Each structure stands twice: as structure tokens, then as C-alpha cells.
Amino acid sequence: MPDTQLTPPLSWSMYSLRKSWNGAKQEVAPWWAENSKEAYACGLDRLATALTNWSESRKGMRKGPKVGFPRFRSKRRKAMSVRFTTGVIRLDGRTHVVLPVLGRIKTHESTRKLARRVEAGTAKIRSATVRLEAGRWLVSFSVQVERAEATPTRPDAVVGVDLGVKTLAVYSDGRPPTANPRHLAVASRKLRRLSRAVSRKQGPDRRSGQQPSGRWRKADASRNQVHHRAAALRRDAIHKLTTTLAGEYGTIVVEDLHIAGMVKNRRLARAISDAGFGEIRRQLAYKTEWNGGRLVVAGRWFASSKTCSGCGAVKAKLALSERAFACAACGLVLDRDVNAALNLASLVKHTVAGSGPETINGRGADRKTPPAGAGGCETSTPHRAPPRSDGDLRPAMSGTLELSER
């Protein structure tokens, strides 16, 4: 096709998309003035971000799994939300908020905690996001807060935290373990009953254009409320756990768990998702920074459960059903989760102070093995190792402990 018949090229930046929208909104959407301009700006910003992520993923510039081309987002299947960044965004008293176009709205919960910070000048509201969740309209504020320098209660204490399904968290210092509340499993019986009630009613069918009945909507809302409550209880329990740990210990050591691979086990996927391992690590990362501590993340291939915390011997195999660790070398017998937590805590003393994630070598020397070619110094002719993908000329050593501080 000639260039004159092709669609003119358009930049994917937020500025270009908004400029194109402003030029066409009178023709394609004459009703645009009835809503806040932030509703359109929010959608354009998300579109620009999605296109950028797809482009960088295709070029190999973005870490993580491949990102596909943005698809149409239906308001019937996705949660509706809008972000306000300009206009009047403030708190009105302790029970009302003021938002652009929407005006003054009463809140179900009191806003006194945020209002006190705003009045004291230690917090400034930057934006507000309104979303529909479980049949309720929620508003969340993005706030710039001035935080005072904090120090953990025990700044020199080190604790290893081993996360699991049977017990949510086991600690290396003898602290009582945290039981797994299993919020979704507790609500499963009620969810089965409500799901049966939903299936027996006339639901929506997009192929035939059938609209859901009023009873189906009511039954579906009841089921969604149970899911929402289970998620809220899980989030509250994780916040309490991570806040307690970050406020007490100066150094916390956790594992780099491969959650995406763990949930592929169809027998454990629901229990692993219900525990929230990824959310625990995410909250510990920023809460330790807030409280003046540090989070050390052990390498993904570190055998914390198979290694003896007494002598350091590593077992070849350790079945998941074996809840007690028995060392054949030194005869140590203890709970496998406690053994893993002790191994995680011992990683901190292997870290060279002030030099980042450096570890002692296999012989116990307090330094790293110097860079060398294949075969080391025992070969007659020195060889130069091929460069790695990251440009480093050092050979990629296998079996080392990978630590990262956050």
C-alpha cells in the first residue's frame, strides 16, 4: 500500500497520546466534558505504560516474563478504577473527602490518622485512586510523608525466617513460630455453597447476549464478599507479622522463593497462594528500610533445608514428607524448618562487611577465589574464560551463595 493510505505513525508516549485524544475527542466522544479529564488521562497513561513494557520486552530490555501486546480491557471483566492527580483533592473533616467532579463524599471509615498528619505538615497528598472492589467504592491516597529516622529494638540481632505452608514462619532465635491462618481454606466451605447457588441461577452469556438475572447478581455479590474478606484478613495478618519483625530485628534473612514455579504444583498451588510468600518478602523489603534495618535474601539455589546447621553437611535428597532433619554425619536431629532458619541466619556472618554480597569459599577462607581460567593453577597452560553475558570476564562459578541486601 502507498504511504498515503497507511495510518500515520503515532508516538507511544503519554504526551503524544493525549495530544491525539484532545484533537479527536470532540468528534469521537462529544460527551467527554461530563466526566473528569483524569478519567481519560488515567487510561492514556496506562496505555502508554503497557506499550512501553511490550516494546522493551520484545527487545530484551525488560526483565521477567515476556509481555504481550496490550489487549482491550472490558469494564465488565476488570475492576474499574481512576486516578486523580490534579484538581481539588483534600480531606474535609474526619468523615468526608473532596475529589474533582465528584465533589464532597462521605467515607465509611474515619480519616483522622491521615488528617492529623496533613494538619501537622508531615504529610502531603499527591494523588487519589478511586476503584470498585467487591461492590464497594474505595479511595486510596498517595501521600508524601516525612519519616523520622528509626532504629530497630534490637539493631544487632539477626534472625532467619523460613516460610512454609504447614507453619507460616519459623525463626532461628527460638521465637515461637507463626501459625498459618489459612484464610482461604477456612472460607472454602462457604465458598462452595455460594458457588453452587450462583451456578443454579441465570448468569451472563456473551455468546448469546443473555443478561444475568437479579438473583444471579445478588448471589455473585455474596460470593465476592467472601473472597474479599479472605484477602483482607490475609493482608492484615501479613502486615502485623512484617511490622513486628522489621521493628525488632536489625537483620532479617529470607529465601528467594520461586513462587511462579511453586504454584505449578497442582496439589500445593492453593495453599502456597493462600500463604502469601511474595507479599511477605515485599513488605519486609520496604519496612526494614523504614525502620533502619536490612533484609538479606539468600540465593534461590541455597539448600537451606538439606544443609545441617551443626556441621554443614548437605543431604542429597530430603522428601517433603520428612518433617525432621537427621544428619548422618554429626547425628543432629531437629525440625526441618528450624534447621532451615538456622542456616539462613548463619549466612550473615559469611558476608564480608562493607563489600556487599561476598561469601567465604568452600574451604573456609575469608576471601573469594581469585579469577582464573578453566582448570585453575593446576593446568600447564593457563586458559582465559569466555566472557559472560553481563560483560564480566570472571568465570561463572556454580554452587556459590547468592546474597542480596534490600
Side-chain angles (χ1 to χ4, degrees):
M1 298 179 64
D3 294 342
T4 56
Q5 298 182 9
L6 295 176
T7 303
L10 177 66
S11 174
W12 289 345
S13 65
M14 173 62 178
Y15 173 79
S16 299
L17 293 177
R18 178 178 288 184
K19 185 177 180 180
S20 301
W21 160 252
N22 291 335
K25 62 184 179 183
Q26 294 290 358
E27 180 181 354
V28 300
W31 38 261
W32 69 271
E34 300 177 3
N35 305 316
S36 172
K37 65 176 183 179
E38 295 290 346
Y40 313 109
C42 180
L44 294 175
D45 179 63
R46 293 172 180 175
L47 175 60
T49 303
L51 290 171
T52 302
N53 292 339
W54 169 73
S55 177
E56 293 181 353
S57 178
R58 186 180 60 172
K59 297 177 182 178
M61 302 170 56
R62 189 177 188 273
K63 295 182 179 180
K66 292 292 183 180
V67 177
F69 191 80
R71 295 178 296 177
F72 175 73
R73 183 172 180 177
S74 173
K75 66 179 181 180
R76 298 180 180 86
R77 297 193 303 269
K78 302 295 183 179
M80 293 186 291
S81 66
V82 60
R83 182 171 180 240
F84 297 99
T85 57
T86 60
V88 181
I89 305 173
R90 61 181 176 86
L91 303 178
D92 189 359
R94 299 294 189 267
T95 57
H96 290 79
V97 297
V98 179
L99 299 175
V101 178
L102 301 178
R104 186 171 181 264
I105 305 175
K106 189 178 186 304
T107 60
H108 180 73
E109 297 179 355
S110 176
T111 60
R112 61 180 179 273
K113 186 175 181 180
L114 177 58
R116 290 171 182 171
R117 283 183 170 270
V118 174
E119 293 171 358
T122 59
K124 187 175 182 180
I125 298 177
R126 291 298 186 183
S127 64
T129 302
V130 179
R131 70 185 186 277
L132 178 63
E133 185 175 326
R136 297 180 179 180
W137 286 101
L138 308 177
V139 57
S140 58
F141 294 94
S142 178
V143 184
Q144 180 180 352
V145 180
E146 296 181 4
R147 292 186 175 273
E149 294 185 3
T151 304
T153 307
R154 301 163 58 191
D156 298 330
V158 179
V159 62
V161 182
D162 181 70
L163 303 177
V165 173
K166 185 176 181 181
T167 304
L168 182 60
V170 178
Y171 311 100
S172 61
D173 61 346
R175 182 192 186 104
T178 301
N180 189 359
R182 303 174 184 268
H183 299 292
L184 183 60
V186 173
S188 60
R189 183 176 181 181
K190 190 173 184 179
L191 283 174
R192 284 194 295 267
R193 177 175 57 83
L194 293 175
S195 297
R196 286 195 298 266
V198 172
S199 65
R200 291 167 181 166
K201 295 172 176 60
Q202 180 179 331
D205 190 349
R206 299 192 65 186
R207 293 173 296 181
S208 61
Q210 176 179 287
Q211 296 297 322
S213 64
R215 291 185 176 182
W216 184 92
R217 295 180 185 275
K218 185 177 180 180
D220 185 59
S222 300
R223 179 178 58 178
N224 292 340
Q225 288 180 359
V226 177
H227 277 292
H228 178 71
R229 175 175 172 78
L233 291 173
R234 182 189 306 112
R235 184 167 54 251
D236 179 71
I238 292 177
H239 269 296
K240 292 178 179 178
L241 171 63
T242 54
T243 300
T244 302
L245 294 177
E248 180 177 354
Y249 297 97
T251 303
I252 303 175
V253 189
V254 296
E255 288 182 288
D256 182 18
L257 300 176
H258 184 31
I259 309 298
M262 296 170 65
V263 295
K264 292 182 179 180
N265 186 336
R266 63 183 182 87
R267 299 182 182 274
L268 298 175
R270 180 182 298 179
I272 293 173
S273 301
D274 192 15
F277 297 151
E279 182 66 12
I280 293 176
R281 174 179 166 181
R282 187 190 72 85
Q283 292 186 15
L284 284 175
Y286 70 83
K287 289 184 179 181
T288 50
E289 184 177 356
W290 284 357
N291 291 273
R294 65 168 180 164
L295 177 67
V296 180
V297 182
R300 182 169 294 180
W301 304 109
F302 175 60
S304 60
S305 298
K306 296 180 181 180
T307 305
C308 177
S309 58
C311 63
V314 181
K315 275 192 171 185
K317 292 183 179 181
L318 183 64
L320 188 61
S321 58
E322 298 181 30
R323 304 311 306 171
F325 179 87
C327 180
C330 64
L332 178 67
V333 178
L334 75 167
D335 184 82
R336 63 176 292 162
D337 296 335
V338 176
N339 178 70
L342 291 172
N343 288 325
L344 292 174
S346 65
L347 289 180
V348 175
K349 63 182 180 181
H350 292 264
T351 304
V352 180
S355 60
E358 296 193 11
T359 59
I360 63 175
N361 60 19
R363 296 183 180 180
D366 194 13
R367 59 184 178 87
K368 295 183 66 175
T369 303
C377 300
E378 298 178 359
T379 55
S380 57
T381 304
H383 299 278
R384 182 171 181 175
R388 299 188 297 186
S389 59
D390 56 357
D392 194 347
L393 297 178
R394 293 176 299 174
M397 305 296 292
S398 61
T400 58
L401 302 180
E402 299 178 1
L403 300 180
S404 61
E405 297 184 10
R406 300 202 175 189

